[in-house]
Amino acid sequence: MADAPEVEAPKLSKKELNKLARKAKKDEKVTEKGGNQQQSASMEQEDYSKDFYGSYGLVNSSEKKELNFLRVKEINVSNATKDIWVRGRVHTIRSKGKNCFIVLRQGVYTVQIAMFMNDKISKQMLKFVSSISKESIIDVYATINKVETPIESCTQKDVELLAQQVFVVSASAPKLPLQIEDASRRAPTDEEKAKEQENQLAVVNLDTRLDNRVLDLRTTTSHAIFRIQAGVCNQFRNILDARGFIEIMAPKIISAPSEGGANVFEVSYFKGSAYLAQSPQLYKQMAIAGDFEKVYTIGPVFRAEDSNTHRHMTEFVGLDLEMAFNFHYHEKLKFYFIFQVMETIAEVLTQMFKGLQEKYQDEIAAVGNQYPAEPFQFCEKPLILKYPDAIALLRENGIEIGDEDDLSTPVEKFLGKLVKEKYSTDFYVLDKFPLAVRPFYTMPDFKDKKYSNSYDMFMRGEEILSGAQRIHDADMLVERATHHQVDLAKIQSYIDAFKYGCPPHAGGGIGLERVTMLFLGLHNIRLASLFPRDPKRITP
């Protein structure tokens, strides 16, 4: 049987062939898309980053984690490409699509963290990190990456962190009573207000900040202020230790007002009453009578001044010192090296100013960003003026003031302005104050009984130290205390300390918050007090 002839397939036109090719390509894409969707769904379902993010839960010392953390301050280009752990607060956070950016804050330092969804960062991880509330504390494992364009919003401008792992250490409540960036913002000047009335950014007033002090302390400005304040104490202590001083601890509950007057807190003391110390003055002197020669103390002091101005508080920290001398509080003495009593105190302060400017440049700059001020200026050898010369200078410039009048705050400020113009210094010493305006234990001037062997020291036209040669004779102390109407029975132990021989001595007391405020040019002393106390504030 003959084979059937083969039927030739119809020939397709070029147009039809192209159509078939396009259809095949389309079918292939659909198949591929379906596969990708399945793969993506599978990846989402399995969350391949699940071990690299989350919350530690309550950190209660149940386990140890051997993680080597780097400080934000140390994150720079010298460490580029290194993988590191860092802990800090979420300062700001923003996410868009498959990206998320965090500014991490640690004290006065900030660094940017970048996250991009990829084969290591899952969609779920990105979503989790994006939902972390501001002010939460987080741990981040990341690679330090050098950036081409500086990140101006961070202190660490030349690098960013490419996050690999993120864990919440302590979550913040989502709603904050104030925003850290608002509390960090410089208040606009009147001129700026006039120019941009409709576009003013929020600024938090000081009372609101103090009511929420824990949050306010997190601003870079607050951190910088209190680092500098700690530096003041540290410098004071180290300088005096190097000069052979002994640190003492003076009592804060005393039997009589330490400086006389009515500005004292009286407290019940078992079946009697006592007072909170206005200064450690009497106990520094008693230590000198105990042959300590040179002493200092750092601690709280109390003044019941019913004033709520930006310069007064009811509790502050005193830095006090006292030292013995031979015959004159101006004389050159030699203990560990040659010095003069009054000049020594002034030189302690100038040495302190110099140390602060050398060691706290970043902090001074951080404070200046929010509270701009002229850099603090002082002479290498402290300027010392006599009180009568200061009175003459004031009179030359139109101020009516008596020879024995005390300086009011406005007059002090005006004198500081005149001194700055004439001598180019924000720091100076005023010697030989009128006896009438000084405490009962101040030694009168031997030449002119209207004056005394006492001095004040000033920063930016405001007093930060009051000091003098002290009376070290018991009979003379009784006479002066009686003149000031001090109850002798309540200071008998103090008087008795000088009955058994005491070297001549002098010293002074410094207000820590005032030094901090005036060194930085701040406008309110409460900014320089961690938890300020005044007639209207006793919390937090």
Side-chain angles (χ1 to χ4, degrees), residues 227-480:
R227 283 182 181 275
I228 291 165
Q229 189 171 92
V232 171
C233 290
N234 183 259
Q235 293 276 319
F236 182 76
R237 182 174 275 117
N238 290 345
I239 291 166
L240 292 178
D241 285 346
R243 290 174 180 247
F245 281 71
I246 298 172
E247 183 172 8
I248 63 170
M249 306 300 164
K252 304 300 179 282
I253 301 174
I254 57 178
S255 61
S258 50
E259 295 185 5
N263 296 333
V264 292
F265 286 108
E266 185 173 357
V267 296
S268 61
Y269 194 73
F270 299 98
K271 294 183 179 180
S273 61
Y275 301 89
L276 298 181
Q278 293 166 290
S279 84
Q281 181 55 52
L282 310 185
Y283 297 94
K284 290 188 301 174
Q285 288 188 255
M286 291 168 77
I288 296 295
D291 285 345
F292 276 43
E293 284 192 340
K294 296 183 290 183
V295 299
Y296 72 91
T297 182
I298 300 174
V301 291
F302 306 87
R303 300 284 173 92
E305 295 182 79
D306 190 11
S307 169
N308 202 41
T309 70
H310 67 296
R311 290 294 186 264
H312 292 94
M313 297 195 302
T314 53
E315 179 185 353
F316 54 95
V317 177
L319 310 178
D320 288 78
L321 69 163
E322 205 78 20
M323 68 196 84
F325 60 84
N326 292 329
F327 299 105
H328 199 296
Y329 74 108
H330 287 177
E331 74 192 3
K332 300 290 184 181
L333 297 177
K334 187 171 183 180
F335 284 105
Y336 286 77
F337 43 81
I338 295 175
F339 66 90
Q340 186 236 74
V341 177
M342 187 178 67
E343 280 186 6
T344 291
I345 301 173
E347 287 169 3
V348 166
L349 286 165
T350 55
Q351 192 175 340
M352 179 195 301
F353 302 148
K354 191 182 295 184
L356 293 174
Q357 289 179 345
E358 289 173 355
K359 295 180 181 180
Y360 296 92
Q361 294 177 10
D362 290 348
E363 287 80 1
I364 292 169
V367 176
N369 288 336
Q370 186 169 1
Y371 302 109
E374 290 292 322
F376 188 75
Q377 196 172 346
F378 58 95
C379 300
E380 190 73 26
K381 181 176 175 58
L383 172 67
I384 299 174
L385 300 175
K386 293 284 193 290
Y387 197 86
D389 296 332
I391 296 296
L393 183 60
L394 287 166
R395 287 172 178 164
E396 287 170 13
N397 287 273
I399 301 297
E400 294 183 9
I401 187 169
D403 289 348
E404 297 179 64
D405 288 351
D406 201 359
L407 301 180
S408 66
T409 298
V411 172
E412 278 184 0
K413 290 182 179 179
F414 185 61
L415 179 60
K417 182 182 176 184
L418 297 177
V419 169
K420 179 69 178 286
E421 290 172 355
K422 188 171 182 178
Y423 299 101
S424 299
T425 181
D426 288 311
F427 173 70
Y428 70 97
V429 182
L430 199 53
D431 190 22
K432 294 294 181 185
F433 269 73
L435 182 62
V437 301
R438 306 304 274 196
F440 75 90
Y441 47 73
T442 305
M443 181 69 75
D445 181 83
F446 77 100
K447 286 183 180 178
D448 189 341
K449 301 300 181 185
K450 291 188 304 183
Y451 292 98
S452 63
N453 297 344
S454 65
Y455 41 84
D456 280 0
M457 299 184 187
F458 297 82
M459 293 172 65
R460 298 189 195 265
E462 298 193 42
E463 177 230 314
I464 52 101
L465 176 144
S466 184
Q469 178 187 354
R470 323 299 187 177
I471 294 172
H472 58 283
D473 176 81
D475 293 337
M476 191 175 185
L477 264 178
V478 169
E479 178 190 330
R480 294 299 301 163

